Amino acid sequence: IASCGVIAHSQGGLAALHLYAFYWSCLDNASNGGSRLIQSVGSPYQGSPLSGDLALMGEVYGQGCGENTSITTSGATKWLKTIRYMARSAVHYKTSSVESDGKWWTWDACHRVTDFILGDPDDGATEKNRGQLLGGNDLGHKKGLCHTGSMNNSSQTKDSSLNSSMNSNA
């Protein structure tokens, strides 16, 4: 593959940015494609409190995807210090969260367990503020979407308008 752009979800956004920042790849030749080199949704650029030891605990209950210390809040802080702003500027990212009525006593969570750990607004895996990438291009925040399809609302990856926009700009 001579040239490419990346559309990523969750940790894939971090992986794409890392690839672009540190390795030669088809991203370096992407001049004939769309206007956005890297696009992501639900990527915890500033880490997630659900990573690390808490993720291992989740495995006991059949939830989560294993320990990953590189996207703990402290691990992400260290990693981001190594990412130049030139590379960050190639990223276009979007965040989402469950639709909230603003009343603390009503159920408005993507996932029952993670709601106790994550600060609002969140998508059940990533808090909105931790999905921000300083130096990147913020495409906004969409309410009514959760991180994955196994949560209480539709998945970020199933949003047809977002998918259409990302595809046309890839």
Side-chain angles (χ1 to χ4, degrees):
I1 299 175
S3 166
C4 69
V6 174
I7 297 174
H9 176 250
S10 194
Q11 190 176 349
L14 285 71
L17 176 55
H18 191 86
L19 173 69
Y20 184 60
F22 296 109
Y23 300 96
W24 182 90
S25 72
C26 56
L27 291 169
D28 294 297
N29 294 331
S31 60
N32 298 333
S35 59
R36 300 178 186 163
L37 189 62
I38 299 170
Q39 300 178 84
S40 69
V41 62
S43 296
Y45 290 105
Q46 296 183 43
S48 174
L50 300 178
S51 300
D53 292 337
L54 187 59
L56 288 178
M57 203 168 72
E59 293 292 317
V60 172
Y61 298 100
Q63 299 292 321
C65 54
E67 179 186 23
N68 187 337
T69 56
S70 64
I71 59 170
T72 60
T73 54
S74 62
T77 299
K78 290 176 191 171
W79 172 72
L80 276 174
K81 288 179 181 177
T82 69
I83 305 294
R84 296 171 305 168
Y85 279 85
M86 182 278 306
R88 293 179 190 205
S89 70
V91 177
H92 294 76
Y93 64 92
K94 189 162 190 106
T95 57
S96 76
S97 66
V98 69
E99 187 75 48
S100 175
D101 61 10
K103 299 174 185 165
W104 66 268
W105 64 87
T106 59
W107 180 253
D108 68 347
C110 283
H111 193 278
R112 193 169 306 180
V113 175
T114 65
D115 191 46
F116 292 105
I117 299 159
L118 299 174
D120 289 333
D122 70 89
D123 66 7
T126 303
E127 297 160 317
K128 178 184 175 185
N129 66 322
R130 296 195 184 279
Q132 305 299 304
L133 178 62
L134 185 62
N137 301 282
D138 188 349
L139 297 175
H141 182 79
K142 185 164 184 178
K143 293 182 179 179
L145 298 175
C146 291
H147 200 75
T148 65
S150 63
M151 295 182 173
N152 293 333
N153 287 36
S154 296
S155 169
Q156 298 163 334
T157 61
K158 302 294 183 189
D159 181 353
S160 59
S161 66
L162 177 61
N163 289 343
S164 176
S165 172
M166 287 187 159
N167 286 337
S168 66
N169 287 291

